[in-house]
Amino acid sequence: MRGTVLEEKEKVILLAADTGEFDRERSMAELWALAESNDMEPVAQVVQKRDRPDGATYLGEGRLEETRQLCVDLEVQACIFDDELTGVQIRNLEKILEVPVMDRTMLILEIFANRATTNEGKLQTELAQLHYRLPRLIGLGSSLSRQGGGGGGGAGARRGAGESKLEYDRRHIRRRIDALQEKLDEIQVRRAQTRRSRQKNGVPVISLVGYTNVGKSSLLNRICDAEIFAQDMLFATLDPTARKTTLPSGLEVIFVDTVGFVSRLPHNLVEAFKSTLEEAAYSDLILKVCDLSDEEAATQLEITDQVLAELECSDIPQLVVYNKSDAAPDALLFDSGAMKVSAATGQGIDALLDRIDTILADRVRMVEVLLPYNDLSLSGLLRANGTVIEEEYRAEGLYCRATVRREDFHRFVPYLIQK
Ligand SMILES: Nc1nc2c(ncn2[C@@H]2O[C@H](COP(=O)(O)OP(=O)(O)O)[C@@H](O)[C@H]2O)c(=O)[nH]1
Ligand SMILES: [Mg+2]
C-alpha cells in the first residue's frame, strides 16, 4: 500500500469536459471519492462545457493554461481526467500542465493494484494495465512509471536488430499479455475445483460491498475503532482495510472494506474488479451498502447482486444497509429486511450490530473455557475449527477465549467458565 499516516497526501486536480452525454457532476463526485480512496487529496475540480473533447488536448487551451497556474499555486502533484485519454492527449497535457497526467482508468487501475490481495487479483490487474498501455505507448512517459507490474522498459540488448524501442515494447507487452492470460486460465480451472474447499477457521469476517461514495469506509470507521490498527496477530495476513470490533454479544469479528463498484467501468477492467471482490466470496456475511439519498440506489443494488451472484456468493448471508439516512429522513424502505443507518450521525448502528449478531449466531459462538489438560482433543478441535483469541496455561487447565462453530459448541459446554 502506498502512503502511511506520516506521509503527506499527493494533491491532485480533477478535470473533465462536460458534453452533456451523462451526469458529469455525479461522475466527478465519484472520481473525487476514488482519488481519496487512493490516498490522494483532491484540491480542485475543473469542468468545461464542450461539444466534444479536443482531439489533441482534451480541454481548451485557455482552461488548461489556467489549470497549469492553479497547479503551481496549490502545489498540485498530478492532474486526473475523468475520461480515458489517448496516448497523444496524455503527452500533450503533460507538456502543458507540467505535472504527471492520469485518466480515470489509470486511477482505477492504481487502486486495484494497491488492493489486489489474491494471486488472481494481481494477475487480472496487471493484465488490465497492459491492455490499457498497449495503445498508449507513445504518450505514457512519466505516468507510465506510476504503474508497477511487469511493464515494458529496459529494452537494451534484447531488442532485435532494426527494431525500434516502440516495436520492442509492443512485442514485449503482447507476450506478457499472452503469458498472463494462460496463467489466469489455469487458475480459473483450478479454482472451480477447489472453490469451497478453502477452510474457514478465522474470526468471522463481514465484508462491506457497494458503489464508491455510498459510505463504506465511513461506516467501517463508525463501527470499528479507527485508532486500532492492524497490529494484531489475527490481522497479519489480512489487508490493511480490515478492522476488528466486538459485537454486543461479545463475539469478535473483522470488518473488511472492499474496493467500491464504479460506474462507467471500462470493459477491460471488469474481470480485475471482480477479482478484488474475491475476498468477499469467503466472508461470513456480506453487507450490501447503498446510499438512501441517491435515486440510483435501487439500480446499483441490482448490479451489486448480479456481480455477487457471478462470484458464487449466494450461500453467504447478505444484508442490505441503507446509509446516509440523515440525508434522506423521509425516504421509505421497500425492503423490510434492510437496515437504515447513518455513518455520519451513528443513527441505526446499534440496531445494525444487533442484527449482525443474530445472523452470525447461526454460525459461530464465542466461548470462554477452561480445558482440562487430560482432554487435549478439545483444544485440537478449537484450533482446527475455531479461532483462539486469547489463551493462558493455568494450573487447572488451558484457558481459552475463542470462537467455535455452532455445531461444535455442545462439546465445550462442560468447560464453559461461568460468570
Ligand atoms: N450525510 C451523510 N454523508 C455520509 C454518510 N456516510 C458517508 N458520507 C459521506 O459520503 C462520502 C463518501 O463516503 P466514503 O465513506 O468515502 O464512501 P465509500 O466510497 O463507500 O467508502 C463522504 O463525503 C462521506 O463524508 C452519512 O451517513 N451521511
Ligand atoms: Mg471507501
Side-chain angles (χ1 to χ4, degrees):
M1 281 294 286
R2 291 177 336 117
T4 63
V5 186
L6 299 173
E7 225 171 89
E8 262 202 37
K9 289 191 175 171
E10 190 175 2
K11 288 189 184 154
V12 295
I13 291 181
L14 311 178
L15 299 102
D18 186 4
T19 56
E21 263 172 282
F22 56 88
D23 189 343
R24 181 62 81 176
E25 200 182 318
R26 180 187 188 88
S27 184
M28 288 298 269
E30 190 181 68
L31 190 70
W32 192 289
L34 285 168
E36 281 180 342
S37 70
N38 198 36
D39 263 340
M40 294 164 153
E41 185 191 347
V43 289
Q45 66 175 41
V46 176
V47 177
Q48 183 178 37
K49 285 211 189 303
R50 296 181 65 90
D51 291 338
R52 73 184 81 84
D54 185 90
T57 57
Y58 183 80
L59 293 181
E61 244 172 79
R63 202 43 92 82
L64 289 171
E65 178 47 39
E66 281 168 35
T67 307
R68 188 192 63 78
Q69 191 53 51
L70 202 57
C71 286
V72 176
D73 296 344
L74 299 176
E75 297 179 352
V76 162
Q77 281 126 309
C79 282
I80 308 179
F81 288 75
D82 192 37
D83 279 312
E84 273 196 5
L85 299 171
T86 64
V88 171
Q89 284 172 331
I90 292 174
R91 187 178 54 185
N92 292 337
L93 285 167
E94 289 194 338
K95 230 179 265 168
I96 299 170
L97 295 169
E98 297 174 348
V99 291
V101 164
M102 293 177 88
D103 65 16
R104 187 180 172 89
T105 303
M106 286 166 78
L107 175 63
I108 294 170
L109 281 170
E110 200 165 289
I111 294 171
F112 288 179
N114 284 334
R115 298 280 295 265
T117 48
T118 61
N119 194 21
E120 179 178 0
K122 289 178 185 147
L123 295 175
Q124 291 283 13
T125 305
E126 189 187 342
L127 186 66
Q129 284 177 334
L130 293 176
H131 275 301
Y132 172 87
R133 260 187 230 169
L134 198 54
R136 294 181 178 79
L137 283 174
I138 296 174
L140 290 172
S142 58
S143 8
L144 217 167
S145 64
R146 295 184 62 90
Q147 299 184 14
R158 282 178 297 145
R159 200 191 296 165
E163 191 180 31
S164 72
K165 169 92 168 73
L166 187 63
E167 284 161 353
Y168 171 83
D169 286 349
R170 278 200 188 118
R171 188 163 57 87
H172 180 84
I173 290 184
R174 283 207 190 92
R175 249 197 278 131
R176 182 74 189 145
I177 287 178
D178 289 344
L180 283 174
Q181 195 58 63
E182 221 168 277
K183 269 196 226 170
L184 280 165
D185 291 345
E186 270 171 39
I187 287 181
Q188 267 148 8
V189 171
R190 237 180 305 142
R191 192 182 58 187
Q193 294 157 354
T194 60
R195 179 98 206 156
R196 285 288 164 210
S197 67
R198 180 163 151 181
Q199 259 295 338
K200 269 216 310 259
N201 56 8
V203 173
V205 172
I206 300 158
S207 43
L208 296 157
V209 168
Y211 271 77
T212 299
N213 229 355
V214 297
K216 295 180 299 302
S217 303
S218 309
L219 215 47
L220 187 84
N221 287 336
R222 166 63 74 173
I223 293 171
C224 307
D225 186 1
E227 303 303 313
I228 299 171
F229 275 93
Q231 289 157 346
D232 210 288
M233 273 288 288
L234 294 165
F235 286 115
T237 58
L238 287 168
D239 67 308
T241 51
R243 300 259 185 81
K244 187 166 74 172
T245 194
T246 307
L247 296 179
S249 68
L251 183 69
E252 291 191 8
V253 293
I254 290 171
F255 279 84
V256 177
D257 195 4
T258 63
V259 174
F261 283 58
V262 259
S263 51
R264 305 197 290 126
L265 186 68
H267 173 74
N268 267 334
L269 270 54
V270 172
E271 289 308 311
F273 170 68
K274 280 197 213 157
S275 67
T276 69
L277 282 180
E278 186 74 354
E279 289 299 313
Y282 295 110
S283 53
D284 298 85
L285 171 63
I286 295 174
L287 300 187
K288 295 181 284 193
V289 187
C290 20
D291 176 350
L292 186 62
S293 68
D294 187 344
E295 71 276 9
E296 293 286 315
T299 318
Q300 294 186 341
L301 199 53
E302 247 172 64
I303 297 172
T304 307
D305 278 335
Q306 271 170 27
V307 173
L308 288 176
E310 284 164 31
L311 290 169
E312 299 166 51
C313 292
S314 37
D315 60 331
I316 301 173
Q318 302 182 1
L319 182 58
V320 177
V321 178
Y322 282 96
N323 186 37
K324 307 199 189 182
S325 60
D326 60 291
D330 302 326
L332 289 172
L333 291 189
F334 293 101
D335 177 353
S336 58
M339 304 298 291
K340 203 162 135 179
V341 302
S342 165
T345 66
Q347 183 200 349
I349 299 291
D350 287 342
L352 172 64
L353 294 181
D354 282 338
R355 173 69 82 81
I356 294 174
D357 244 338
T358 311
I359 295 171
L360 290 180
D362 290 341
R363 311 202 134 203
V364 284
R365 301 267 316 244
M366 181 95 183
V367 295
E368 217 178 334
V369 286
L370 197 58
L371 302 175
Y373 289 121
N374 61 13
D375 190 358
L376 289 176
S377 65
L378 277 177
S379 75
L381 182 67
L382 203 59
R383 281 177 222 285
N385 287 347
T387 300
V388 179
I389 292 159
E390 199 185 326
E391 67 179 349
E392 191 182 296
Y393 289 89
R394 295 181 179 169
E396 326 81 89
L398 175 63
Y399 164 83
C400 288
R401 198 157 59 87
T403 56
V404 299
R405 295 197 310 203
R406 199 168 177 87
E407 56 265 41
D408 296 334
F409 179 70
H410 68 279
R411 299 198 45 193
F412 295 94
V413 169
Y415 306 110
L416 288 178
I417 292 174
Q418 311 293 330
K419 284 207 209 149

